[in-house]
Amino acid sequence: LITAQTAVSRTPYIYMLFTHGVTTYDFSTNSVAYGNRILSIEHHEEPYNDYAYITLKDSQSNIPDLRGFWTEIGYGDTTTGPVNEYLQSQTSRLYVKRRRHVTAKGELYWVLECEGLWTLLEQHFTRLGSAPYFQKSYPTISNETVYNILSAVFTEAGLSLVSPCPVDDLIINTFVPYFDINTRPYERARGIIKRLIQLTKCYLRTPSATGTMFGLVYPQAADAIILTY
């Protein structure tokens, strides 16, 4: 059994750069400076939440402070070719919020607590209206559809929604709702976005190789199934 299992085994490859401004640290599996530092990654991607716990080995005590850095992890395979393969469109962006220094069996480790863009939206108070209450009621003009309001909320939070609207469920880019923001001060962006998307048949997707731009999907039974490896 062991012979059969190892005969078809592969060596995983992880692409993981931490970036802040113009500063980048490469913690990929084959990194020259920080290779073979990844002990474990506990990565969760949920419909309206994403977060991760990354444990890095630091026996040399030379891992920099990565708080505030972001990463888009790519999972793949170590190949015999010139370039290791990983998912071309990486996972959604994660920001290092906290770090913990731990020891185990004589080794030093950093545990990085990372949060995704949904968490940032949960922490952001939307200010689309006038101060001090920032209340806003739609529609103020005739073409403020669900999609238009979603775009405004994302933009105010410093993020963006894919444009133009890539899907049509005959609601999201057509329906002009009566919609109030901050009637009970103050609302967070994630709650507003969830209220809006639930008016439609569409789903929001966290960014994938697009930085801070969210995507939209409208799945239908007739859609083709496309798998890329």
Side-chain angles (χ1 to χ4, degrees), residues 140-213:
T140 57
I141 56 177
S142 60
N143 67 341
E144 287 171 325
T145 63
V146 175
Y147 173 79
N148 297 132
I149 304 173
L150 277 169
S151 295
V153 175
F154 275 113
T155 301
E156 195 279 329
L159 306 175
S160 61
L161 183 62
V162 60
S163 178
C165 186
V167 296
D168 185 10
D169 63 350
L170 302 181
I171 301 174
I172 191 167
N173 209 23
T174 304
F175 178 46
V176 178
Y178 288 95
F179 192 85
D180 296 323
I181 293 176
N182 284 337
T183 55
R184 52 184 190 281
Y186 296 95
E187 288 191 272
R188 302 173 190 265
R190 183 168 71 169
I192 298 171
I193 291 168
K194 289 179 69 175
R195 283 201 291 134
L196 283 164
I197 201 65
Q198 287 170 356
L199 296 175
T200 75
K201 298 179 181 178
C202 299
Y203 295 88
L204 280 164
R205 296 188 64 182
T206 49
S208 180
T210 53
T212 57
M213 180 183 291

Side-chain angles (χ1 to χ4, degrees), residues 121-137:
L121 287 169
E122 176 61 27
Q123 296 168 352
H124 180 80
F125 291 103
T126 298
R127 295 171 292 181
L128 282 173
S130 301
Y133 300 111
F134 301 105
Q135 295 177 347
K136 193 171 184 68
S137 296

